[in-house]
Amino acid sequence: MRTETHSSANASGERRRIDLSGPWRFVTDPDERGRERNWAAPDEPWPDRARTVEVPHVWQEHDECREYTGTAWYRRTIDLEAPPDGDDRRALLRFGAVDYEAVVRVNGERAGSNRGGYLPFSVDVTDALVEGENTIAVEVTDPDDISEIPHGKQGEPWYQRVSGIWQKVTLEDVPACRVEQLRAAPNVEDDTVRIELETTAAAVATVEDPSAVDATITVEREGTAVASATTALEPDGTGDVTISIEDPDYWTPETPALYDVRVALERDGTVVDRDEDYFGMRSVEARDGRIYLNGEPYPIRGALEQGYYPRTLYRPSEDDWFEREVRIAKDLGFNLLRKHIKPAHPDFLEAADRLGLFVWAEPANPSVCTERSKEELADQLRGMLERDYNRPSVVVWSIYNEEWGIGNPQGLDVETSLWDDGAKQASLAELYEETKAADPTRLVCDNSGWAHVATDINDYHRYFVSPDRADAWAADLDGMVENPEANYAATETDPDDAPIVVSEFGTWGLGDIAAVEDAYDGEPPWFDYEFLPEGLKRPAGYRERFADSALAEAFDDLEALAEAWQRRQLRSNKDVIEQMRARDEIAGYVLTEFSDIEWEFNGLLDYRREPKGTLEAFARVNAPVAVQLDLESRAVWDDGRIAADAVVVNDTAEELEADLSWTIAGESGRRTVAVDPASTVRVADLVDVAASDVIADADAVTTETIALEFGDARTEEPVTVCPRSRPRLHDGQDARPADATVYVDDALRTALGDRDSDRDPTVVDRLDEDVDVALVTETTDDVLAYARDGGDVLAVADSDGSLAAGDGTETAFDYRNLPEDESWNLVASLLYTVDERLERLFGTVPGWELDGLYPYAVADVDSADDAAVGYVEGWLANPSAAITTRDYGDGTVQTCTFRVADAYGDHPTATVLVDDLLSRRLESAAR
């Protein structure tokens, strides 16, 4: 048991803090007998399973406690030379946060308690302390059922549970008459700050008249006093004074100017207490569809950050971690982090204040909607406002996320949706109004994602992957702009006035899993949580799944897979972001997410906060000044033209003017462009060049890169050029019978017939034994009978994505439909090229060359199939294929779910792909 000797502070007005972080004894209490056995007593022995832990501490850090719920005890001893006397001095035991319920005992006597896992509380222990040795014991209970308790993403179906004294503990010797709350409310319209004080003066017996206590407030900037004022307290012990600041420095993420505020309470000419804090002169408001900082439009470029860390969970293992996070976020171009679904650690907010980063703050949500859960959430939100009111980085308060605890996102029979329940809507609107009244200096979002009722921000959660669903994403954005009210369950506030912010979106990208495992000295516990379903969320067995699938043919190892997946992540996030930034009506975005969290690998950083391989390129996409290329077509014929508009995005407060220049394969051009602050400019027809001028090999498919620059801003985009003269993707493409015959169904017959040359097979409209290959868009009974009898079938999807069974029930493949718009599964998926000859067309991971052709279904595969383009989701689950071949009876069936049938002859990539697949089927038939 640890014992330390400390002296108490007795000088007038002085506060003294003893840090109680460090070694404590810890023991679980599974049968809840600790009270009965008097474990709070200094000399009471604890069971052999007791251990010494370092507080702050989460008991799930220990393998044997990882699944433990219930009660546990912490205990330590300190030695005090002279405790406070109780008349003019008090002793407060302060806890940063304890999850969930804490009962505090000093020297065996109950001193106080608290419920709620995220915010600070204090217990007055003056009367319990003695001179000499004092034992502090904390009984912590975190129940198994947390559905009514605000808990965020702890436990099923998300991440590890968190329990214990997870923030710091201090013992403070403070004046009896003291400042309890100091609020600084800046007003940049008249350059004043209103200081509001709450004190204990009215509750202190030795203070007969609180109005005889004066509060002197001094405001300092970088150590120099810039303003001061003195005011008498009110009879209830409160104080209120407005102070002018001459020519103040405003706080912004770019210029995070901070002011210190110091308060001295004086009675009868003697200082009885001193307190201090800091604030920033800044305003934030939402109006006319935009967000304004200090009266100027301010576009939001944000990322979701969940505050989980390897091993230590809710707290980082290194002291400088929060500062590094803020610096990395700023280096990546972000001006905001959305601290997701639990209150941010106060040390993180300090770093954000000091270094300059907006914070979107959220309480932890419960799972169900009950009177208890609503009250606990409201209490937590009030506590956040009290703790963080002076933090200039905090610009948004959220109340709920995706209806968790207020609606019915889980589809429970006992719950109703916020979309339909008028009583829930009224309750939410009431809490919005309460929050706005308590803090009019910030924006309030009622229910992040959808089903808004009363909100300052109309935010959306949208998970589109690009280029797979690029057109659907564009249509979705248009719908947000044209009909914002569709995202509201009720309109207690004006949808047309609220800024549109896409506050969740993003694509997954596998990181360096071997390095993460090394950090854990083996497989992390989150690889195999019992509550994780088999599938994309469960990492356990991923190495075996890699080895047993076509992935092992496409990639040399898991490292190569991760690198390719990260490139795909960048490509998708780039387009999704650029489509938003090109629309002035979109006020901002928040990418999901800043770092991987346990099994969820959609971060720009991995779980260790180490960068993935595409950060430099992402930073260009996300920079305050960025450029975009909007190509007329991503794939062109060699006798066509490469044409593109350019978009210049200026999120800064300055007007910009510079040359906008482009290059592609020796061709180039430039134009001088001016861009207003916080706006975009589209430059029409900037690029227009003949495709034949930029290709070196007229007989091959080539991919050229267009580069665009505007000052320091730069981007690149690929464009695929295909020869009309039937390019060959492999040397044996013409090794087929000169008199080959192909049956082609109605959907493709005209287009294929129009591409007539001496290299083409004969196209027929009958399916008999003389046909070498059947090219179809549906596998009818006749087609499958042809295959069973030894025929060779190539089935390709049409524009609606279907490969219907036609007039029968038998199919060669089972297909799994993919959503045609947004989907969490799709952003977690990967299409990859196994066939090395198709890799010449697609690359390792298909990209923009297939724009408009991506599948709406994939085929289930087994080990005997020959996959040419494979598909997986998340942790290498749900293996499927977009192109694969299977023996069927005495013949074969190859399926292609890329939607190429209707595009054949018009879309260059679709045409080249079908020609190549058909050529190979003819070669196979000839053998």
Side-chain angles (χ1 to χ4, degrees):
M1 183 175 298
R2 185 184 188 193
T3 301
E4 294 180 352
T5 301
H6 300 276
S7 60
S8 182
N10 287 309
S12 180
E14 182 182 354
R15 297 186 180 200
R16 172 130 181 200
R17 178 180 295 113
I18 301 171
D19 187 359
L20 298 184
S21 300
W24 289 58
R25 293 292 286 170
F26 169 82
V27 67
T28 56
D29 186 8
D31 54 2
E32 298 185 355
R33 301 286 298 277
R35 292 190 192 184
E36 175 187 325
R37 294 167 179 166
N38 200 25
W39 284 357
D43 299 321
E44 189 65 32
W46 278 9
D48 292 342
R49 65 178 178 276
R51 67 175 74 200
T52 298
V53 300
E54 289 289 318
V55 170
H57 170 259
V58 171
W59 71 56
Q60 286 84 358
E61 296 174 25
H62 312 291
D63 289 342
E64 60 271 31
C65 297
R66 200 167 302 283
E67 303 300 323
Y68 180 73
T69 56
T71 298
W73 291 72
Y74 294 82
R75 191 171 73 183
R76 68 166 293 168
T77 297
I78 62 172
D79 198 25
L80 295 177
E81 291 182 354
D85 58 21
D87 292 330
D88 295 322
R89 312 288 303 180
R90 305 299 295 178
L92 303 179
L93 194 57
R94 295 191 187 273
F95 297 83
V98 179
D99 197 333
Y100 159 71
E101 183 171 3
V103 178
V104 181
R105 293 176 175 84
V106 176
N107 297 324
E109 299 298 322
R110 179 177 174 130
S113 63
N114 182 75
R115 289 204 327 187
Y118 297 91
L119 295 173
F121 65 94
S122 63
V123 176
D124 191 323
V125 296
T126 310
D127 298 335
L129 294 176
V130 298
E131 185 174 347
E133 187 175 277
N134 291 265
T135 298
I136 301 167
V138 184
E139 177 188 5
V140 180
T141 300
D142 199 10
D144 184 63
D145 182 1
I146 54 175
S147 58
E148 291 185 288
I149 297 171
H151 61 273
K153 296 178 84 169
Q154 289 190 44
E156 186 177 3
W158 296 102
Y159 314 132
Q160 178 64 62
R161 287 283 299 268
V162 175
S163 312
I165 306 175
W166 67 275
Q167 288 190 31
K168 63 184 178 182
V169 184
T170 58
L171 178 63
E172 298 187 17
D173 182 346
V174 299
C177 179
R178 64 187 180 276
V179 176
E180 284 282 81
Q181 182 73 22
L182 187 167
R183 289 160 57 107
N187 186 333
V188 300
E189 292 186 1
D190 59 8
D191 291 339
T192 62
V193 58
R194 180 181 177 184
I195 304 297
E196 300 173 344
L197 302 176
E198 295 179 13
T199 77
T200 62
V204 176
T206 58
V207 179
E208 296 180 359
D209 181 9
S211 61
V213 178
D214 289 334
T216 298
I217 299 102
T218 303
V219 177
E220 299 178 358
R221 173 83 171 104
E222 297 181 333
T224 300
V226 297
S228 64
T230 300
T231 184
L233 297 183
E234 297 296 326
D236 63 357
T238 63
D240 187 329
V241 63
T242 298
I243 301 175
S244 295
I245 301 177
E246 184 176 353
D247 191 22
D249 296 323
Y250 293 152
W251 189 97
T252 72
E254 294 74 29
T255 58
L258 297 176
Y259 286 85
D260 295 309
V261 55
R262 308 186 192 280
V263 180
L265 296 185
E266 296 183 49
R267 182 162 61 99
D268 299 330
T270 300
V271 174
V272 297
D273 184 40
R274 298 182 188 275
D275 194 18
E276 63 183 48
D277 201 352
Y278 65 88
F279 67 94
M281 290 293 294
R282 67 107 183 91
S283 68
V284 60
E285 57 184 322
R287 53 183 166 83
D288 304 324
R290 305 199 77 172
I291 293 172
Y292 291 82
L293 174 64
N294 303 329
E296 300 295 333
Y298 197 89
I300 297 300
R301 303 183 307 279
L304 194 94
E305 208 292 310
Q306 303 202 54
Y308 265 83
Y309 301 91
R311 295 185 180 272
T312 51
L313 301 172
Y314 268 6
R315 57 185 181 83
S317 58
E318 300 172 18
D319 291 340
D320 67 343
W321 205 314
F322 291 136
E323 181 166 324
R324 286 195 290 120
E325 285 181 332
V326 172
R327 292 189 184 278
I328 291 171
K330 290 173 69 72
D331 288 345
L332 290 174
F334 293 115
N335 55 27
L336 176 146
L337 286 182
R338 180 181 167 210
K339 297 295 286 186
H340 189 40
I341 208 160
K342 66 180 177 65
H345 196 292
D347 292 347
F348 177 88
L349 296 181
E350 186 278 332
D353 293 338
R354 177 166 43 85
L355 299 175
L357 185 71
F358 279 162
V359 173
W360 183 327
E362 302 181 346
N365 289 172
S367 301
V368 297
C369 184
T370 65
E371 290 305 312
R372 175 188 175 184
S373 72
K374 288 192 295 182
E375 189 55 38
E376 289 215 15
L377 180 131
D379 284 345
Q380 181 189 185
L381 185 58
R382 295 174 192 123
M384 292 173 66
L385 267 65
E386 179 177 322
R387 188 193 71 172
D388 302 331
Y389 187 89
N390 294 340
R391 302 289 71 84
S393 60
V394 178
V395 294
V396 183
W397 300 118
S398 266
I399 301 177
Y400 287 96
N401 175 75
E402 295 182 351
E403 300 185 68
W404 297 4
I406 188 66
N408 190 24
Q410 313 98 318
L412 302 176
D413 292 337
V414 296
E415 286 283 4
T416 56
S417 171
L418 184 59
W419 287 103
D420 306 315
D421 192 316
K424 289 181 176 180
Q425 294 167 9
S427 174
L428 182 56
E430 183 179 347
L431 189 51
Y432 164 85
E433 294 293 346
E434 177 190 326
T435 306
K436 288 295 288 185
D439 184 4
T441 70
R442 293 179 172 89
L443 309 181
V444 177
C445 180
D446 57 350
N447 175 58
S448 183
W450 56 74
H452 292 298
V453 176
T455 185
D456 297 328
I457 299 174
N458 180 11
D459 76 325
Y460 296 75
H461 296 177
R462 291 290 199 264
Y463 286 94
F464 283 86
V465 64
S466 188
D468 312 36
R469 301 294 183 264
D471 291 342
W473 174 229
D476 195 67
L477 284 169
D478 290 342
M480 295 180 197
V481 173
E482 294 165 4
N483 187 19
E485 188 173 339
N487 204 35
Y488 283 65
T491 52
E492 298 298 322
T493 53
D494 184 1
D496 292 324
D497 199 44
I500 295 172
V501 176
V502 180
S503 60
E504 286 191 27
F505 71 95
T507 301
W508 292 35
L510 189 66
D512 186 347
I513 305 306
V516 173
E517 289 181 295
D518 287 345
Y520 279 89
D521 300 321
E523 286 194 354
W526 42 266
F527 265 37
D528 204 21
Y529 286 155
E530 287 186 8
F531 59 74
L532 287 177
E534 294 293 337
L536 70 88
K537 288 184 177 183
R538 183 182 286 268
Y542 76 95
R543 292 180 184 277
E544 291 77 12
R545 290 193 291 276
F546 175 84
D548 293 342
S549 71
L551 287 163
E553 300 177 48
F555 301 98
D556 291 338
D557 50 31
L558 283 160
E559 183 179 354
L561 169 63
E563 290 173 357
W565 209 325
Q566 290 168 31
R567 291 193 298 271
R568 187 288 183 99
Q569 179 187 35
L570 171 66
R571 180 166 57 216
S572 178
N573 286 340
K574 181 177 188 289
D575 181 62
V576 172
I577 288 173
E578 287 183 343
Q579 290 206 45
M580 289 186 284
R581 297 189 77 180
R583 291 167 165 83
D584 284 333
E585 301 90 345
I586 306 299
Y589 55 84
V590 179
L591 172 72
T592 307
E593 60 189 311
F594 184 61
S595 74
D596 297 347
I597 302 295
E598 297 195 339
W599 50 265
E600 193 173 1
F601 60 81
N602 49 5
L604 299 176
L605 313 175
D606 70 18
Y607 194 20
R608 303 167 301 146
R609 274 41 171 199
E610 293 296 327
K612 295 181 181 177
T614 57
L615 287 197
E616 183 177 348
F618 178 84
R620 290 197 296 268
V621 175
N622 197 48
V625 179
V627 288
Q628 307 171 13
L629 280 162
D630 186 3
L631 277 81
E632 184 177 294
S633 178
R634 296 284 185 156
V636 300
W637 296 112
D638 60 350
D639 58 358
R641 302 193 69 80
I642 299 171
D645 293 350
V647 176
V648 182
V649 181
N650 178 19
D651 283 354
T652 75
E654 306 294 330
E655 181 181 359
L656 301 178
E657 184 173 337
D659 283 347
L660 182 63
S661 61
W662 60 271
T663 61
I664 177 173
E667 300 293 317
S668 63
R670 68 179 59 243
R671 195 178 303 179
T672 300
V673 174
V675 194
D676 289 336
S679 65
T680 63
V681 165
R682 176 175 288 271
V683 182
D685 304 322
L686 179 71
V687 180
D688 189 1
V689 59
S692 59
D693 291 341
V694 301
I695 58 173
D697 187 349
D699 293 325
V701 175
T702 60
T703 298
E704 302 295 340
T705 299
I706 309 177
L708 181 69
E709 294 184 356
F710 179 82
D712 294 332
R714 188 175 190 276
T715 193
E716 294 180 350
E717 292 292 347
V719 59
T720 299
V721 182
C722 299
R724 284 193 186 272
S725 58
R726 301 225 178 196
R728 296 189 302 173
L729 297 181
H730 57 100
D731 292 338
Q733 186 162 317
D734 293 331
R736 61 195 187 199
D739 57 349
T741 300
V742 177
Y743 165 78
V744 182
D745 65 13
D746 293 341
L748 276 165
R749 189 174 301 133
T750 300
L752 195 69
D754 288 344
R755 290 205 23 108
D756 184 41
S757 77
D758 55 8
R759 293 163 53 190
D760 287 329
T762 301
V763 175
V764 299
D765 59 2
R766 67 187 186 283
L767 186 59
D768 56 30
E769 66 275 5
D770 295 329
V771 168
D772 294 295
V773 173
L775 175 60
V776 299
T777 57
E778 59 179 11
T779 51
T780 64
D781 287 348
D782 288 343
V783 169
L784 293 178
Y786 165 78
R788 278 194 303 273
D789 291 340
D792 208 317
V793 174
L794 171 60
V796 295
D798 57 18
S799 59
D800 69 7
S802 67
L803 279 161
D807 53 6
T809 57
E810 185 178 359
T811 61
F813 292 91
D814 292 326
Y815 294 96
R816 183 160 59 89
N817 291 331
L818 303 178
E820 297 182 19
D821 45 29
E822 69 157 339
S823 164
W824 208 62
N825 283 53
L826 281 184
V827 297
S829 71
L830 181 74
L831 282 162
Y832 60 94
T833 309
V834 183
D835 185 285
E836 63 182 24
R837 294 177 295 192
L838 288 183
E839 192 173 339
R840 301 173 192 175
L841 181 61
F842 298 156
T844 308
V845 175
W848 281 108
E849 67 283 338
L850 286 165
D851 185 25
L853 305 177
Y854 277 88
Y856 291 161
V858 285
D860 290 342
V861 293
D862 58 39
S863 58
D865 293 339
D866 182 12
V869 177
Y871 174 93
V872 290
E873 293 176 347
W875 285 93
L876 316 188
N878 305 326
S880 311
I883 301 177
T884 190
T885 306
R886 170 175 293 176
D887 291 338
Y888 190 80
D890 292 333
T892 60
V893 176
Q894 183 177 60
T895 186
C896 170
T897 64
F898 290 108
R899 296 175 295 118
V900 294
D902 298 332
Y904 183 85
D906 295 322
H907 193 295
T909 308
T911 307
V912 171
L913 175 59
V914 172
D915 282 349
D916 181 70
L917 296 178
L918 178 58
S919 174
R920 284 196 254 176
R921 297 267 53 84
L922 288 168
E923 295 163 22
S924 174
R927 292 193 293 269

